[in-house]
Amino acid sequence: MRLRVRAPWLFLVLAACATRGELPPRPAVALPEPAATIDPGLLIGRWSCRDLNPYPEQPEQTLVATYDADGSFVTESSTAARGRIGPIVATGRGRWTIQSAQLVTRDVHTEARAADGDPQTDLLAKAGAQMVDALSAASPNTAEILQLAPDRLVLRPVGVEDPAVLACTR
């Protein structure tokens, strides 16, 4: 899976695959046209995000992303339990830039754990975090910025089959 802005969503896919096999396609969602130019200053700050087109039966997830003026970022996500997999908490840290109306992240380091201390879920979470970091090390992660306003951010990963569309608010 080649996922951009990937850390939190990898855990959703792992949870779904572990309980269902292949995922059905994501539902269609109306999208704004990609932004022509981006003011990087508008991205700085804390955003609460959700998936606009979740897979059917996808477990609920919360995601908070914080972009700092120094080019660093932190994402914190929590995924609800699903089937035999318990709830997962993941934190990603790295560097961000805006290039050609795209959010580019690199030097990503991900930590994940079972929120309830379950050893099997913890093992899966840690393995998922290692996979995210290995995939991220190969190339920067890129997301198309579809909308960026003082109180709204809409992103879609680039180079991903059936991408999640993320809507964020302050």
Side-chain angles (χ1 to χ4, degrees):
M1 175 165 137
R2 192 157 193 231
L3 188 60
R4 306 291 184 192
V5 186
R6 44 176 94 88
W9 285 267
L10 176 64
F11 298 106
L12 290 176
V13 172
L14 288 173
C17 290
T19 58
R20 259 188 86 174
E22 287 200 31
L23 294 171
R26 291 178 182 277
V29 61
L31 299 174
E33 288 297 316
T37 60
I38 298 296
D39 175 2
L42 287 177
L43 186 66
I44 296 168
R46 184 175 183 188
W47 297 91
S48 296
C49 305
R50 67 182 178 88
D51 192 340
L52 286 180
N53 60 338
Y55 289 113
E57 301 178 27
Q58 177 174 307
E60 185 177 330
Q61 175 177 351
T62 61
L63 172 72
V64 175
T66 303
Y67 299 94
D68 291 326
D70 68 359
S72 63
F73 76 90
V74 175
T75 60
E76 299 169 347
S77 66
S78 297
T79 305
R82 177 163 182 166
R84 297 182 315 258
I85 299 173
I88 295 174
V89 175
T91 302
R93 299 178 195 293
R95 307 286 304 160
W96 70 273
T97 58
I98 300 292
Q99 298 175 5
S100 303
Q102 295 181 331
L103 173 61
V104 179
T105 60
R106 50 179 45 91
D107 303 328
V108 177
H109 176 71
T110 310
E111 296 175 359
R113 64 179 175 77
D116 62 2
D118 177 73
Q120 288 182 319
T121 299
D122 200 57
L123 183 62
L124 177 67
K126 289 180 182 351
Q130 289 177 347
M131 186 185 316
V132 167
D133 289 350
L135 291 170
S136 296
S139 65
N141 303 315
T142 306
E144 185 174 31
I145 298 174
L146 301 174
Q147 184 178 21
L148 178 57
D151 62 349
R152 184 157 170 87
L153 169 64
V154 180
L155 300 168
R156 177 178 50 199
V158 172
V160 176
E161 186 178 324
D162 199 22
V165 177
L166 309 175
C168 308
T169 58
R170 294 207 198 255

